[in-house]
Amino acid sequence: MHPAFSVIFLTTLIGVGQGFFLALYTGESYAAVKLLPAQSAPFYVWGSAISVGFLVLGLLASFFHLGHPERAWRSAAKWRTSWLSREVIVLPAVIGVVFIYGVVHGLAWDLSRVGIHTGIGGDLTLLIGAVGVLLTFALFLSTGMIYACIKFLQEWATWLTPVNYTLLGGASGFTLATAYAAVGAPELTGFYGGWAMILTSLALVTRAASLIRNARLRPKSSVQTAIGVRHRTLKQRSQGFMGGSFNTREFFHGAPPWFFRSIKWVFLLLVFPLPLALLATGLAAGSATVLLAAFLIQYLGLIAERWFFFAQANHPQNIYYQTVG
């Protein structure tokens, strides 16, 4: 498939925003049961702003993929049958809840404002954050299932697709949260850094599993089955015209073989071992700069990873448009 950079930025940016919010809420939940030091309101307000910023940037990136952005609202009408439609609904909901989460932290409101006295500090933000967590996982699922539900693209049609979207988004968000904590709440740096390393390691396992699975796939159709000729030596020699077309542009990545082969190793290096090494170094040295470098390198790797994810999907039509005669 042709990798569209608007979709690459959409999926990677909202993944960071989702993972970052999960990190914020995890830290607050641990603090509520006295497992971590409680943080001041500005830590959550600025953290929510960062999360909303990444989510909004992802939403804006998606508009560059639309031929008629003014009609985008219509895509929400098919939520009963379309994962894309569900993503269109859930993404603004996540942005709205994270925004409210930050505002309520800033106003220091709790449930006593509506006559409910729980005696738990930050009970209202914990409640709003729980809704945000559910919506965040719903968004991960919706985004991943957009691709996993396309049965004829075998490279995508696996449960590993939504799992990888979730783990990679979580890993990048927690890595950014580690750098953020190193500046605003140093006592949380080790907690976030530990989770970032765990999520990055888990993502390495599941992403490697999808690469191994895809390398073993065999096309379900061939030129022979398509035209009903069973001769063994039948080959496609020409697509019938010399120039490109919509089919050759939209359903094939167009990159030379050497680039396609090398980009896999580039993203494997940038997303997993390098950030893990930088996280370990940054945590040991207490360096926010090194931890921020871990996030930036991992995000660059995620752009390459997402490009490869889209390019690796081999649309059946490429069997018939593979050669210019």
Side-chain angles (χ1 to χ4, degrees):
M1 297 292 288
H2 171 68
F5 276 96
S6 54
V7 181
I8 290 173
F9 283 117
L10 161 68
T11 55
T12 53
L13 287 170
I14 65 173
V16 174
Q18 291 168 261
F20 191 87
F21 170 70
L22 291 177
L24 278 183
Y25 186 73
T26 304
E28 186 183 12
S29 300
Y30 273 60
V33 293
K34 313 298 183 186
L35 292 176
L36 285 174
Q39 301 304 311
S40 61
F43 177 79
Y44 295 105
V45 172
W46 284 108
S48 300
I50 292 172
S51 178
V52 168
F54 275 96
L55 291 166
V56 169
L57 285 175
L59 179 63
L60 292 176
S62 70
F63 280 83
F64 291 95
H65 195 60
L66 303 175
H68 293 278
E70 72 278 7
R71 302 175 187 170
W73 63 272
R74 295 183 179 178
S75 60
K78 300 296 182 182
W79 61 272
R80 291 184 177 84
T81 56
S82 168
W83 285 104
L84 176 61
S85 182
R86 291 162 192 160
E87 183 192 47
V88 168
I89 295 170
V90 177
L91 176 53
V94 172
I95 295 173
V97 171
V98 176
F99 177 78
I100 294 171
Y101 176 78
V103 169
V104 173
H105 264 295
L107 296 174
W109 285 358
D110 55 29
L111 286 174
S112 64
R113 286 191 165 266
V114 293
I116 300 175
H117 300 277
T118 64
I120 302 173
D123 48 13
L124 182 56
T125 54
L126 286 169
L127 184 62
I128 295 171
V131 175
V133 168
L134 291 176
L135 288 171
T136 296
F137 280 108
L139 181 55
F140 274 130
L141 179 65
S142 299
T143 305
M145 286 304 297
I146 290 172
Y147 309 101
C149 72
I150 305 175
K151 301 300 182 185
F152 60 88
L153 293 179
Q154 298 180 74
E155 291 82 358
W156 294 352
T158 166
W159 60 270
L160 288 167
T161 299
V163 168
N164 283 328
Y165 268 76
T166 304
L167 289 175
L168 290 170
S172 58
F174 271 82
T175 301
L176 178 60
T178 308
Y180 176 64
V183 176
E187 60 273 25
L188 297 186
T189 308
F191 174 75
Y192 286 145
W195 273 110
M197 296 175 78
I198 291 171
L199 290 170
T200 300
S201 300
L202 289 174
L204 173 59
V205 172
T206 56
R207 192 65 178 95
S210 68
L211 291 174
I212 294 170
R213 171 190 175 273
N214 291 348
R216 295 176 177 176
L217 291 176
R218 294 292 178 271
K220 293 182 178 179
S221 59
S222 64
V223 176
Q224 286 86 347
T225 60
I227 62 177
V229 177
R230 299 183 178 180
H231 198 286
R232 293 182 177 179
T233 60
L234 191 64
K235 294 182 180 179
Q236 193 268 10
R237 302 300 298 270
S238 173
Q239 62 182 5
F241 44 87
M242 298 295 293
S245 66
F246 177 84
N247 286 339
T248 57
R249 288 192 299 272
E250 293 299 320
F251 298 104
F252 185 64
H253 53 77
W258 68 265
F259 182 85
F260 182 75
R261 286 192 300 269
S262 61
I263 198 70
K264 177 177 67 177
W265 299 107
V266 170
F267 90 70
L268 284 173
L269 178 66
L270 294 181
V271 174
F272 304 110
L274 271 182
L276 284 172
L278 289 171
L279 279 167
T281 304
L283 290 173
S287 170
T289 303
V290 175
L291 294 171
L292 182 60
F295 166 71
L296 294 175
I297 288 174
Q298 190 172 55
Y299 184 73
L300 287 175
L302 283 175
I303 293 174
E305 184 274 338
R306 212 50 48 91
W307 186 95
F308 184 84
F309 170 79
F310 289 113
Q312 191 183 33
N314 189 22
H315 196 288
Q317 70 100 51
N318 291 331
I319 297 172
Y320 318 110
Y321 291 93
Q322 60 186 285
T323 304
V324 177

